[in-house]
Amino acid sequence: MNHAAASATTNRFLADTHEVTNVSRELQDYNLYAQDLPLREAVTREGAAWADARLRQFGAHVGTADYLELGTLANRFQPELETHDRFGNRIDLVRFHPAYHALMKTAIENGLHGSPWSEPGPGAHVARAAKCYLHSQVEAGHGCPVTMTFAVVPALRMQPELAAQWEPLITARTYDPRNVPVAAKKGITVGMAMT
Ligand SMILES: Cc1cc2nc3c(=O)[nH]c(=O)nc-3n(C[C@H](O)[C@H](O)[C@H](O)COP(=O)(O)OP(=O)(O)OC[C@H]3O[C@@H](n4cnc5c(N)ncnc54)[C@H](O)[C@@H]3O)c2cc1C
């Protein structure tokens, strides 16, 4: 019995065609940090050797197949704007795929949006940049709100009374995607309206 005939008898949906041998496999289930020698050298050289262990942990987490899949899903399922609810009330709600929220949650909980401001010190920017570099390999789009939130703090600090009001919410490690007034928020992201 040839291969096709054997498949036909063992696979009732006839989905088993042939073994694919001429393309590469998925790059997944690897440590994005541990395998990146230039990055590891740079982190140490630029004063963030203290972050090596937690970067290694982060690199392992974001390199798993399940985690990398979040990037694919967040891009496949585009956000949708709902201007009104079904009763005609204006809500201006943007619905994102859960994968996008999962990526944002990781970014915020790991301080990609503000760790050098809330935990300043030698190498703080280097450690944060390394994590951003790793996470942007999973998905780039969420890097926009994360980067804007990060970048707004030095500008805000030029006006101390505004910084005092907003900075705790900006640098909080809680991702709060609820569409509620800012007073009810446990953490916020910020837009800069540059483009
Ligand atoms: C994928 C992605 C998409 C985005 N899309 C948008 C968008 O559509 N609209 C929008 O408004 N915003 C967008 N943003 C956000 C926007 O890019 C950032 O908010 C903005 O670039 C922040 O500006 P900045 O000047 O504070 O920092 P940066 O633009 O990061 O500039 C900092 C500069 O300082 C340099 N630097 C750092 N350390 C040193 C050092 N020690 N010595 C000398 N130089 C140094 C860096 O090389 C860099 O050139 C996006 C961000 C990302 C990541």
Side-chain angles (χ1 to χ4, degrees):
M1 195 184 294
N2 64 28
H3 179 68
S7 297
T9 55
T10 56
N11 185 345
R12 55 196 280 257
F13 300 109
L14 301 179
D16 182 13
T17 54
H18 63 286
E19 188 186 353
V20 180
T21 56
N22 62 342
V23 293
S24 59
R25 304 280 79 126
E26 288 286 353
L27 182 58
Q28 60 189 25
D29 288 327
Y30 71 111
N31 188 320
L32 268 67
Y33 180 72
Q35 62 81 44
D36 195 333
L37 182 58
L39 177 63
R40 283 193 282 130
E41 284 179 354
V43 163
T44 300
R45 186 182 64 240
E46 303 301 331
W50 53 265
D52 188 75
R54 56 178 90 163
L55 282 167
R56 205 169 277 271
Q57 205 176 15
F58 189 75
H61 177 58
V62 304
T64 61
D66 285 350
Y67 198 86
L68 291 166
E69 176 77 359
L70 296 176
T72 305
L73 294 173
N75 280 276
R76 185 176 300 158
F77 299 100
Q78 306 273 308
E80 290 179 0
L81 171 63
E82 287 183 19
T83 54
H84 296 76
D85 67 14
R86 63 201 181 96
F87 303 103
N89 299 305
R90 187 90 193 240
I91 54 171
D92 288 340
L93 173 68
V94 182
R95 285 198 191 280
F96 287 87
H97 190 271
Y100 172 87
H101 288 303
L103 292 163
M104 285 297 291
K105 186 170 186 291
T106 299
I108 301 288
E109 289 181 353
N110 282 275
L112 273 62
H113 69 309
S115 57
W117 313 131
S118 55
E119 295 166 25
H125 282 277
V126 176
R128 181 252 169 195
K131 270 191 189 168
C132 286
Y133 176 70
L134 296 174
H135 214 220
S136 67
Q137 292 173 53
V138 181
E139 206 282 320
H142 82 288
C144 179
V146 169
T147 311
M148 287 191 292
T149 305
F150 172 71
V152 81
V153 170
L156 264 186
R157 284 182 178 175
M158 299 302 285
Q159 206 164 335
E161 70 280 12
L162 277 185
Q165 182 185 346
W166 290 95
E167 210 177 304
L169 276 175
I170 292 170
T171 56
R173 295 284 182 103
T174 306
Y175 177 54
D176 186 348
R178 293 174 303 147
N179 196 27
V180 296
V182 71
K185 286 273 199 179
K186 295 184 171 64
I188 59 170
T189 53
V190 177
M192 297 176 75
M194 289 171 66
T195 57

